[in-house]
Amino acid sequence: MEETRREKIKGNIIILVLMGLYLVITGYFGYLTGSGTGTKAKYKRECEILKKTTADIEYTYDQTTLSKGSVKVDINKFHYTYVVDNQYFNADQTSLKEKPESTIDVWYNPNNPSENETIDPCKEYNEVKNTKEGKYLWIFQIVGILAGLLIIMNVFSLIKNLIMLGAETAEKKFSKKK
């Protein structure tokens, strides 16, 4: 009886280790699945905070050509200047497209006008506001809950087997003394 109890304890420990690894792996993939969560809130906040202005594009720009075999891509880095409260701010924009005409729309942070974007945050928000973020996250949450319940049941089984092993060992020692 003692050997089978020890085998059960060993099995409980192996199951606990495997379930722990399983939880870590599913938790990691659940994190990856839900990692886009918050994008809507970010764009909404930017849409509410950032102000729009127009920037002047400098006449000159830097162009770098990358080539791999017969494929060539031109990367253009152009410079622009915008004014906020009679203060000038310079920034750069990298694009695969040709240099824009002579102006570009810029959205800046009124609390720190040097922080700027050339992509309309309200347009970005409108594109993502109806998307479901972390749409498969619930699968990993359910699996995690089930695995957690199995671990709890296994811990109780391990405790029971340890107590029973102790009781059987004590009973054998006690019966040998008589």
Side-chain angles (χ1 to χ4, degrees):
M1 191 78 150
E2 191 174 311
E3 271 315 302
T4 58
R5 190 68 66 190
R6 288 180 188 215
E7 289 172 3
K8 285 181 179 180
I9 291 171
K10 185 178 176 183
N12 287 132
I13 292 171
I14 290 171
I15 289 172
L16 284 173
V17 169
L18 291 176
M19 291 305 288
L21 286 172
Y22 182 74
L23 278 177
V24 167
I25 291 169
T26 56
Y28 175 73
F29 284 113
Y31 169 76
L32 290 181
T33 301
S35 63
T37 304
T39 304
K40 282 192 265 191
K42 173 186 175 273
Y43 286 137
K44 183 178 183 183
R45 187 175 57 251
E46 287 180 351
C47 181
E48 293 168 351
I49 293 173
L50 299 183
K51 304 294 179 197
K52 181 179 173 183
T53 190
T54 303
D56 295 320
I57 304 290
E58 290 185 13
Y59 179 71
T60 59
Y61 65 98
D62 302 323
Q63 186 176 61
T64 306
T65 303
L66 299 175
S67 61
K68 178 99 175 168
S70 62
V71 178
K72 291 184 180 181
V73 176
D74 290 331
I75 299 174
N76 302 304
K77 183 176 182 182
F78 54 91
H79 315 283
Y80 56 93
T81 304
Y82 58 100
V83 180
V84 176
D85 296 331
N86 295 324
Q87 199 173 10
Y88 289 89
F89 295 92
N90 297 308
D92 297 322
Q93 174 69 34
T94 303
S95 173
L96 297 175
K97 302 175 188 172
E98 289 296 319
K99 182 175 91 68
E101 295 299 319
S102 58
T103 62
I104 188 172
D105 290 331
V106 175
W107 287 262
Y108 66 91
N109 182 347
N111 298 324
N112 185 1
S114 63
E115 292 178 13
N116 70 87
E117 295 182 13
T118 56
I119 298 171
D120 183 355
C122 295
K123 181 180 175 187
E124 294 290 320
Y125 173 65
N126 286 331
E127 288 179 9
V128 299
K129 74 177 174 183
N130 293 325
T131 60
K132 191 170 183 184
E133 295 178 318
K135 59 185 172 184
Y136 298 114
L137 183 59
W138 66 272
I139 294 171
F140 293 104
Q141 290 170 339
I142 289 173
V143 168
I145 290 168
L146 292 174
L149 291 173
L150 288 172
I151 287 175
I152 290 169
M153 289 173 29
N154 203 36
V155 166
F156 283 125
S157 176
L158 176 65
I159 292 170
K160 180 187 110 189
N161 285 325
L162 287 171
I163 291 170
M164 293 300 290
L165 178 66
E168 289 170 0
T169 306
E171 183 182 334
K172 281 187 178 181
K173 286 183 181 178
F174 184 69
S175 64
K176 284 184 181 177
K177 289 184 178 179
K178 284 187 174 183

